[in-house]
């Protein structure tokens, strides 16, 4: 036999093996879904295939069927209706019928089921699901799973920091490095080209669970009036099943005795989730392997964000230390605290009737506190943070590109993502696909889709208006209680004289309003969360990615207004339109518009940020740690433990909490809101990055601990990136440049100080605002406090605003004027109490500052985005290498086989007719 004949025989044998492997699950079946059973396919209940019932063995940590060979890929749990009370059985018979037909559908689709009763609660039944090799191969092709074809032969370039990072990396003796492969989309027809060393390990447990979940989500349980009802999610929602989950491979704190068990959960707990591993880097490859790409990329992003916060926290801490060291040495702070300067300046009352005159040096401590945050170093830090956020986002794109390649998600396209079962169940209208030009089913027509989206947009706008209304309510609270604090605190704090310097009416109003605002934020969050989910369900997005993106946008818009509205009010509106003592501005004709703290609104903004940011972190950690832990303890206490038998693996996991349909959505939302606090208002609170860093170091381990110990194993999902959160982060980064520039310009006193410093010796400011020493013509900050305070004649007070009581130190004969924060002409001037030319110079300087800083920072941002490539060169090389191998191994091999089969014919044609070989070979 010739070599060509031997190759032909070998090829025929291989093709027969592949056809046997395919079985009944051919492409035609997949397209037409003819092998999907329907409710009406089983005429007699006795003929329906049913799970095999077994007794629970003593192998409590086993993840296999009782035969010890077939792996458990998924577990379903339900309560046996026959074990219920007699009068309730009839009510549950329909649920039982749905479940029986659903399980029959699963068996018809090729899954193998094994049922066993609970060892704790007799009426509870667990159905274990095993996916055979044939079914795995079929659905691996349907789901476009990337499988290995060859070991990666490109050497990865070692970083110069490897020696340093190795100290913090998990031990390679405990968590072995994952072997890197070149991969390609799985195809059953070319199964021999894939690197299959062992059928049991070719599809890892995570992939097996993902395939099993795909089948469970599409198996029928009822067919009525030609309406196909299917999917495990619907059965869970209606109570047919109580739970559906993949198994953990072992207990988190004890190694499994089964030699086949890789003990990945135990390794993750020991090297990742355990408190003593807080300093170690995350084992991302093992996280991805055990929980899937979606969970892996979240922890990759969180870890990268936390590492980048180290740089921001360092600069923020330096900025804070500089302000703290210079708080007693800057000129304006010294002048306020000086008895000869601030002690002789009488300030006008800040509210009607109840407020009285006060001396400027009473705000000495609050002015020093302001100096910690409001100095020239803050300007430098705000600019550095604007550049930092750009570098963070650009380098994250590079790191994300590396993960995409390593985790085989680089070629994950939107059209490859399969529709949600809820979407498929509603499909009843035909539509021409604009890409394929073929008919496809959709759940609604164009007009109905527009109506659904419009309802969603309208609901979101309504809730945003509701938040704005709550903010207005908080403002009214501020205006009303300020008068109460101003009247009461003067008398109630006589015995606590040291506190009077710190606990001012403005500070008491700000703190209580911040606490009330935080409580309202939390209440609105809980209500709106349910509303947003209902709206998104009503819109009926096609894929899970579309669903999460739609929900993400709704939730973030709401959270953005909810969390940041009070901060925006304090930063840009409070104290900006207050008038002057003779003609103050009133809200609703009743409430006098509140002024800033005597030391400025920046301190109040810092207080608001500290309360909301700190309170949010504490509340979230309580929810994430205590609630699951307490629920699990209560569940174990109710269930009890049988003394004579061991609890099997699936029942141990059943007692854990479910992560929920949205998975890590709330974790992302929490971190993105924190990112907004760190970037949008960092000019007022340089310690925000440091607090975020400390919180995230704790957050990573808390998330790891609860995911590993308190929750059932999540269904592995594929994800290419962090989804809609990426453009949201970019939008926050762009907005942060504007907000920080405006905080420095309008909330802090930095620009008025600079204007005063550089224009001190220039007419007309020399005579009007310079110190009394005429020889002092050098640029100096001396006299700045006096320049920011306008003069008001006490006799010009209206009866509505005139104070009821006068302080003991007030002299009616000599004290005829008071001062207030503004730039207005003094009494007796031709333009009395009108805004002075100095005011307009300061406004012009503020606007010029915003424009110049924005243009410089934006130019730097766009330059960095252009210079930093999104995909590293090494990743591009590996992608090209993988594409070449895929083309060569999967496609060119078939061409060679075709050439061998027609070789003799081609040679004869070439020899007899002199036809070029290229014309008869397929391209």
């Amino acid at each position: 036999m010739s070599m060509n004949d031997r190759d032909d025989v070998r090829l025929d044998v291989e093709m027969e093996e592949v056809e046997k492997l395919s079985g009944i699950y051919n492409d035609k079946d997949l397209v037409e879904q003819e092998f999907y059973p329907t409710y009406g396919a089983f005429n007699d209940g006795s003929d329906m295939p049913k799970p095999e019932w077994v007794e629970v063995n003593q192998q409590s940590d086993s993840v296999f069927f009782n035969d010890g060979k077939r792996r458990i890929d998924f577990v379903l749990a339900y309560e046996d209706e026959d074990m219920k009370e007699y009068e309730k059985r009839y009510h549950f018979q329909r649920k039982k019928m749905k479940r029986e037909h659903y399980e029959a559908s699963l068996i018809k689709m090729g899954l193998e089921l094994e049922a066993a009763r609970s060892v704790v609660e007799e009426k509870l039944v667990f159905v274990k699901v095993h996916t055979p090799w044939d079914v795995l191969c079929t659905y691996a092709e349907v789901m476009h799973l990337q499988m290995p074809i060859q070991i990666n032969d490109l050497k990865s370039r070692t970083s110069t920091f490897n020696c340093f990072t190795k100290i913090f990396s998990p031990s390679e003796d405990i968590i072995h490095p994952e072997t890197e492969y070149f991969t390609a989309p799985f195809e059953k027809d070319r199964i021999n080209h894939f690197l299959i060393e062992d059928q049991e390990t070719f599809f890892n447990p995570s992939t097996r669970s993902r395939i099993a979940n795909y089948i469970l989500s599409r198996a029928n349980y009822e067919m009525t009036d030609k309406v196909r009802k299917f999917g495990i999610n619907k059965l869970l929602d209606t109570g047919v099943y109580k739970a559906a989950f993949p198994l953990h491979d072992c207990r988190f704190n004890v190694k499994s005795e089964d030699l086949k068990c890789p003990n990945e959960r135990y390794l993750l707990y020991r090297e990742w989730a355990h408190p003593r591993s807080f300093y170690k880097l995350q084992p991302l490859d093992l996280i991805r392997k055990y929980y899937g790409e979606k969970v892996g990329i979240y922890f990759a992003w969180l870890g990268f964000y936390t590492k980048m916060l180290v740089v921001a926290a360092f600069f923020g801490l330096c900025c804070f230390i500089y302000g703290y060291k210079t708080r007693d040495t800057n000129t304006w702070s010294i002048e306020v605290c000086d008895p000869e300067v601030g002690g002789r300046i009488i300030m006008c009352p800040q509210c009607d009737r109840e407020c009285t005159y006060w001396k400027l040096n009473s705000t000495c401590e609050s002015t020093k506190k302001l100096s910690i945050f409001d100095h020239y170093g803050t300007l430098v830090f705000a600019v550095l943070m604007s550049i930092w956020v750009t570098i963070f986002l650009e380098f994250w794109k590079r790191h994300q590109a590396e993960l995409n390649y390593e985790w085989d998600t680089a070629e994950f396209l939107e059209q490859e993502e399969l529709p949600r079962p809820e979407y498929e169940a509603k499909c009843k209208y035909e539509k021409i696909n604009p890409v394929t030009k073929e008919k496809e089913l959709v759940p609604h027509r164009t007009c109905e889709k527009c109506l659904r989206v419009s309802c969603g947009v309208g609901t979101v706008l309504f809730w945003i208006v509701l938040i704005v209304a709550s903010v207005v309510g908080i403002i009214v609270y501020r205006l009303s209680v300020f008068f109460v604090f101003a009247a009461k605190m003067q008398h109630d704090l006589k015995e606590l004289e040291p506190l009077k310097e710190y606990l001012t009416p403005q500070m008491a109003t700000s703190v209580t309003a911040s606490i009330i605002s935080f409580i309202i934020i939390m209440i609105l969050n809980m209500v709106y969360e349910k509303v947003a989910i209902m709206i998104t369900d009503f819109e009926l997005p096609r894929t899970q990615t579309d669903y999460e993106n739609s929900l993400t946008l709704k939730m973030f818009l709401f959270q953005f207004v909810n969390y940041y509205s009070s901060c925006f009010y304090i930063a840009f509106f409070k104290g900006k339109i207050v008038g002057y003592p003779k003609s103050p501005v009133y809200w609703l004709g009743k409430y006098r518009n509140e002024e800033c703290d005597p030391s400025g609104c920046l301190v109040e903004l810092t207080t608001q940020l500290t309360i909301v940011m700190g309170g949010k972190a504490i509340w979230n950690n309580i929810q994430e740690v205590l609630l699951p832990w307490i629920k699990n303890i209560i569940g174990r206490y109710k269930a009890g433990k049988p003394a004579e038998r061991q609890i099997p693996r699936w029942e141990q996991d059943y007692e854990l909490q479910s992560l929920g349909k949205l998975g890590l959505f709330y974790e992302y939302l929490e971190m993105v809101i924190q990112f907004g606090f760190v970037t949008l208002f960092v000019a007022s609170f340089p310690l925000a990055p440091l607090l975020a860093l400390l919180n995230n170091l704790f957050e990573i381990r808390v998330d790891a601990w609860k995911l590993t110990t308190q929750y059932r194993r999540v269904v592995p999902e594929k994800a290419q990136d962090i989804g809609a959160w990426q453009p949201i982060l970019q939008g926050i980064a762009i907005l942060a440049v504007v907000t920080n520039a405006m905080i420095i310009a309008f909330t802090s006193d930095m620009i008025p100080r600079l204007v005063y410093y550089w224009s001190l010796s220039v007419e007309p400011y020399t005579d009007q605002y310079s110190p009394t020493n005429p020889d002092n013509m050098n640029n100096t900050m001396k006299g700045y406090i006096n320049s920011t305070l306008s003069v008001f004649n006490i006799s010009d007070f209206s009866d509505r605003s005139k104070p009821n009581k006068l302080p003991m130190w007030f002299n009616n004969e000599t004290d005829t004027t008071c001062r207030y924060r503004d730039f207005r002409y003094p009494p007796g001037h031709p333009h009395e109490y009108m805004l002075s030319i100095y005011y307009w110079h300061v406004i012009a300087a503020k606007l010029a500052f915003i424009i110049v800083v924005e243009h410089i920072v934006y130019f730097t941002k766009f330059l960095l985005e252009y210079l930093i490539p999104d995909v590293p060169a090494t990743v591009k090389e590996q992608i090209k290498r993988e594409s070449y191998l895929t083309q060569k191994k999967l496609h060119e091999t078939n061409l060679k086989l075709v050439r061998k089969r027609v070789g003799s014919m081609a040679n004869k044609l070439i020899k007899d007719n002199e036809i070029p070989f290229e014309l008869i070979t397929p391209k």
Side-chain angles (χ1 to χ4, degrees):
M1 184 181 293
S2 64
M3 292 294 294
N4 289 339
D5 293 335
R6 289 178 181 175
D7 291 336
D8 292 341
V9 172
R10 183 175 58 83
L11 180 62
D12 292 336
V13 172
E14 290 175 353
M15 294 302 295
E16 288 177 4
E17 292 177 353
V18 173
E19 289 173 0
K20 287 180 180 180
L21 196 59
S22 301
I24 64 169
Y25 310 104
N26 51 49
D27 293 339
K28 181 180 179 181
D29 289 332
L30 289 175
V31 174
E32 299 178 359
Q33 297 182 349
E34 292 179 353
F35 65 99
Y36 284 161
T38 63
Y39 183 82
F42 308 103
N43 298 322
D44 184 3
S46 61
D47 296 331
M48 289 191 300
K50 295 183 179 180
E52 178 186 357
W53 282 83
V54 297
E55 294 292 332
V56 177
N57 55 32
Q58 295 299 316
Q59 299 178 358
S60 59
D61 276 341
S62 176
V63 292
F64 293 88
F65 279 15
N66 273 16
D67 58 14
K69 297 178 180 179
R70 291 174 292 175
R71 176 178 289 275
I72 301 173
D73 299 318
F74 228 86
V75 174
L76 308 176
Y78 68 90
E79 288 185 350
D80 190 355
E81 290 79 7
D82 295 333
M83 301 291 291
K84 295 181 179 295
E85 297 177 9
Y86 180 79
E87 61 272 11
K88 294 183 179 180
R89 290 182 187 178
Y90 178 78
H91 176 70
F92 291 99
Q93 286 305 308
R94 181 169 175 80
K95 288 185 178 180
K96 180 180 180 182
M97 187 177 297
K98 288 182 180 180
R99 189 182 64 253
E100 289 178 348
H101 282 81
Y102 179 73
E103 292 174 357
S105 298
L106 295 177
I107 296 174
K108 185 73 180 296
M109 295 170 72
L111 297 182
E112 297 177 3
L113 308 182
E114 186 178 79
R117 291 198 179 276
S118 167
V119 299
V120 175
E121 189 176 357
E122 187 178 3
K123 64 180 179 180
L124 190 62
V125 178
F126 293 96
V127 179
K128 296 165 281 183
V129 179
H130 170 73
T131 314
W133 171 258
D134 295 353
V135 181
L136 289 172
C137 293
T138 298
Y139 284 94
E141 182 173 357
V142 172
M143 299 170 66
H144 307 281
L145 298 186
Q146 298 276 339
M147 303 307 294
I149 57 175
Q150 179 179 314
I151 295 178
N152 191 335
D153 55 2
L154 292 179
K155 294 182 179 179
S156 58
R157 299 177 183 176
T158 57
S159 172
T160 54
F161 299 99
N162 274 3
C163 296
F164 177 75
T165 57
K166 191 173 182 180
I167 302 174
F168 302 99
S169 300
S171 174
E172 293 185 358
D173 295 333
I174 299 175
I175 299 180
H176 303 292
E178 295 291 328
T179 305
E180 295 185 7
Y181 296 95
F182 291 121
T183 60
F186 185 79
E187 297 181 37
K188 289 173 58 178
D189 294 339
R190 300 186 175 115
I191 192 171
N192 291 322
H193 301 309
F194 288 88
L195 195 60
I196 304 178
E197 297 178 356
D198 184 2
Q199 290 186 0
E200 296 298 325
T201 59
F202 180 66
F203 295 103
N204 60 39
S206 177
T207 304
R208 298 177 65 100
S209 297
R210 184 179 166 201
I211 294 174
N213 179 70
Y214 177 83
I215 301 173
L216 292 172
S217 300
R218 283 157 178 80
N220 294 345
Y221 62 84
E222 189 172 7
M223 177 70 77
T224 57
D225 298 329
K226 296 184 179 180
V227 176
R228 177 168 165 255
K229 298 182 180 181
F230 62 95
I232 186 63
N233 293 334
K234 288 290 185 181
L235 297 178
L236 289 171
D237 293 339
T238 55
V240 176
Y241 287 100
K242 296 183 67 67
F245 53 91
L247 282 181
H248 283 297
D249 61 356
C250 64
R251 284 179 284 179
F252 70 87
N253 55 353
V254 179
K255 271 190 173 184
S256 174
E257 298 179 356
D258 191 345
L259 298 178
K260 297 180 182 179
C261 179
N263 288 293
E264 292 173 348
R265 184 190 186 193
Y266 171 78
L267 296 178
L268 285 173
Y269 174 74
R270 176 176 173 179
E271 295 295 312
W272 179 45
H274 198 281
R276 66 164 176 258
S277 301
F278 74 95
Y279 65 94
K280 293 184 179 181
L281 299 176
Q282 301 184 90
L284 293 178
D285 288 334
L286 185 58
I287 297 171
R288 173 252 179 173
K289 181 181 178 183
Y290 191 74
Y291 290 112
E293 289 82 4
K294 199 166 193 176
V295 174
I297 204 164
Y298 163 74
F299 282 103
W301 175 81
L302 181 57
F304 187 84
Y305 170 48
T306 303
K307 285 188 286 187
M308 290 294 293
L309 277 176
V310 174
V311 179
F314 172 76
F315 287 115
L317 184 61
C318 292
C319 180
F320 175 81
I321 292 174
Y322 173 79
Y324 184 81
K325 292 291 185 182
T326 58
R327 72 188 190 284
D328 295 324
T329 58
N330 58 70
T331 306
W332 55 88
S333 178
I334 293 175
E335 288 186 346
V336 170
C337 297
D338 190 353
E340 298 299 322
V341 181
R344 294 187 176 183
I345 297 178
I346 300 175
M347 301 297 294
C348 298
Q350 291 189 304
C351 66
D352 295 336
R353 308 294 290 174
E354 296 296 338
C355 298
T356 187
Y357 304 103
W358 51 283
K359 292 186 177 181
L360 183 62
N361 66 344
S362 64
T363 63
C364 176
E365 292 301 323
S366 59
T367 302
K368 290 181 179 179
K369 185 165 57 176
L370 172 67
S371 301
I372 298 175
F373 304 102
D374 190 8
H375 51 83
Y376 301 126
T378 305
L379 171 59
V380 178
F381 177 63
V383 174
L384 288 176
M385 281 299 295
S386 299
I387 298 174
W388 171 87
V389 71
T390 304
I391 295 175
F392 160 63
L393 292 176
E394 291 304 309
F395 275 92
W396 163 246
K397 290 179 184 177
R398 291 172 59 85
H399 186 56
Q400 186 173 255
E402 294 175 352
L403 293 177
N404 284 341
Y405 174 75
E406 293 176 5
W407 294 353
D408 299 321
T409 58
E411 301 297 329
F412 179 60
L413 304 177
E414 184 178 354
Q415 58 266 29
E416 292 181 4
E417 189 173 5
L418 299 163
R420 298 167 60 238
E422 295 83 356
Y423 178 90
E424 290 181 338
K426 299 289 185 179
C427 289
K428 56 183 179 180
Y429 300 108
E430 287 188 350
K431 177 185 176 182
I432 302 297
N433 190 307
V435 178
T436 62
K437 298 300 181 182
E438 297 178 356
K439 290 183 179 181
E440 65 178 9
L441 293 177
V442 293
H444 40 60
R445 301 186 188 278
T446 305
C447 295
E448 183 182 352
K449 182 177 180 181
C450 294
L451 180 63
R452 289 172 179 264
V453 174
S454 299
C455 291
V457 172
T459 307
V460 173
L461 291 177
F462 168 78
W463 278 86
I464 290 178
V465 171
L466 186 63
I467 298 172
V468 175
S470 70
V471 174
V472 174
I474 294 295
I475 294 173
V476 173
Y477 166 83
R478 286 173 176 270
L479 299 178
S480 58
V481 302
F482 175 76
F483 303 113
V484 178
F485 283 130
K488 298 292 184 181
M489 293 178 66
Q490 295 179 357
H491 307 289
D492 297 343
L493 293 180
K494 285 184 177 179
E495 298 180 357
L496 303 175
E497 191 67 26
L499 294 178
K500 295 182 68 175
E501 295 184 357
Y502 302 96
L503 192 57
T504 62
Q506 291 87 354
M507 183 57 65
T509 303
S510 178
V511 171
T512 55
S514 299
I515 295 174
I516 294 174
S517 177
F518 174 73
I519 294 173
I520 293 176
I521 286 172
M522 292 295 104
I523 294 174
L524 289 177
N525 274 347
M526 290 187 290
V527 178
Y528 179 76
E529 173 187 320
K530 301 182 183 300
V531 174
I533 294 174
M534 290 174 58
I535 296 171
T536 311
D537 290 339
F538 177 72
E539 290 178 357
L540 206 62
R542 180 177 180 274
T543 64
Q544 185 65 22
T545 299
D546 294 337
Y547 181 90
E548 292 182 359
N549 289 346
S550 178
L551 182 62
T552 296
L553 184 59
K554 292 181 182 64
M555 287 294 292
F556 178 76
L557 287 175
F558 174 83
Q559 298 275 19
F560 183 89
V561 180
N562 199 16
Y563 278 108
Y564 302 143
S565 54
S566 57
C567 296
F568 275 102
Y569 165 72
I570 295 173
F572 305 124
F573 297 99
K574 183 180 179 182
K576 302 301 184 290
I577 307 175
V578 295
Y580 60 100
K582 183 178 181 180
S583 179
V585 177
Y586 291 91
W587 271 63
L588 306 175
K590 181 179 180 181
Y591 299 104
R592 179 172 170 174
N593 203 357
E594 62 177 335
E595 300 181 21
C596 290
D597 188 89
S599 58
C601 280
L602 199 67
V603 173
E604 293 186 50
L605 179 58
T606 303
T607 303
Q608 177 75 11
L609 286 171
T610 304
I611 291 176
V612 175
M613 190 175 175
K616 181 177 179 296
I618 294 172
W619 176 253
N620 286 334
N621 286 324
I622 290 175
Q623 282 187 313
E624 294 178 6
V625 178
L626 291 182
L627 291 184
W629 182 63
I630 292 174
K631 287 180 180 179
N632 286 333
I633 289 179
I634 294 174
R636 286 192 291 267
Y637 175 78
K638 288 182 177 179
K641 287 190 177 182
E644 70 279 1
R645 305 190 69 177
Q646 293 182 333
I647 298 180
R649 169 84 270 130
W650 49 88
E651 195 156 355
Q652 294 177 36
D653 286 3
Y654 176 76
E655 294 175 355
L656 300 177
Q657 297 298 308
S658 173
L659 190 60
K661 293 181 180 180
L662 297 178
L664 297 171
F665 171 81
Y666 298 105
E667 307 298 337
Y668 273 117
L669 183 61
E670 177 188 353
M671 289 296 103
V672 171
I673 294 297
Q674 181 205 85
F675 181 81
F677 282 122
V678 169
T679 54
L680 292 174
F681 307 101
V682 72
S684 64
F685 192 33
L687 287 180
L690 179 61
L691 295 181
L693 173 63
L694 298 177
N695 175 78
N696 287 8
L697 291 174
F698 185 70
E699 180 75 19
I700 291 175
R701 304 304 161 179
V702 167
D703 288 346
W705 174 81
K706 70 180 183 181
L707 198 64
T708 308
T709 66
Q710 303 301 309
Y711 285 97
R712 299 168 187 158
R713 188 173 181 176
V714 298
V715 179
E717 295 183 54
K718 198 172 186 180
Q720 188 179 31
D721 48 36
I722 60 176
W725 300 111
Q726 184 83 20
I728 288 175
L729 292 175
Q730 293 173 342
I732 292 176
I734 294 174
L735 182 61
V737 179
V738 180
T739 56
N740 284 297
M742 293 182 67
I743 287 173
I744 293 174
F746 292 104
T747 310
S748 76
D749 289 336
M750 193 173 302
I751 302 303
R753 290 174 195 153
L754 290 173
V755 172
Y756 178 83
Y757 181 80
W758 291 110
S759 63
L760 179 65
S761 56
V762 181
E763 297 291 349
Y765 304 118
T766 301
D767 296 333
Q768 188 173 353
Y769 294 103
S770 63
T772 56
N773 184 4
D775 298 330
N776 183 15
M777 299 301 294
N778 296 324
N779 292 340
T780 178
M781 288 304 299
K782 189 175 182 181
Y784 167 73
I785 292 298
N786 187 62
S787 73
T788 61
L789 302 176
S790 298
V791 181
F792 181 75
N793 196 330
I794 292 176
S795 61
D796 292 334
F797 270 120
S798 64
D799 293 336
R800 182 178 182 178
S801 302
K802 192 173 183 179
N804 291 331
K805 297 180 181 180
L806 300 177
M808 296 180 60
W809 46 262
F810 191 83
N811 191 330
N812 289 324
E813 297 180 358
T814 59
D815 299 332
T816 59
T817 61
C818 62
R819 310 294 292 273
Y820 60 98
R821 287 174 58 91
D822 210 342
F823 299 104
R824 294 179 181 269
Y825 290 115
H829 193 277
H831 302 289
E832 183 181 63
Y833 299 138
M834 293 182 65
L835 296 171
S836 66
I837 187 67
Y838 188 45
Y839 169 83
W840 298 109
H841 283 197
V842 171
I843 289 295
K846 290 180 177 181
L847 296 176
F849 169 81
I850 292 175
I851 294 173
V852 171
V853 169
E854 281 185 1
H855 280 68
I856 293 175
V857 174
Y858 281 139
F859 174 77
T860 306
K861 284 170 64 68
F862 295 142
L863 184 63
L864 289 172
E865 290 176 2
Y866 175 77
L867 293 177
I868 302 175
D870 293 345
V871 182
T874 53
V875 174
K876 290 181 179 179
E877 292 175 0
Q878 291 179 329
I879 291 175
K880 291 178 181 179
R881 171 68 175 164
E882 185 172 86
S883 299
Y884 167 77
L885 288 175
T886 303
Q887 179 71 22
K888 181 179 178 181
K889 197 159 189 176
L890 298 185
H891 300 288
E892 293 184 5
T893 302
N894 288 344
L895 295 179
K896 291 179 180 179
L897 293 175
V898 171
R899 287 171 181 169
K900 288 180 180 180
R901 290 197 167 189
V902 300
S904 58
M905 184 184 299
N907 290 332
K908 189 174 185 301
L909 288 173
I910 293 172
K911 183 177 180 180
D912 296 343
N913 303 312
E914 298 183 357
I915 300 176
F917 183 74
E918 290 79 3
L919 295 180
I920 64 172
T921 55
K923 294 183 180 180

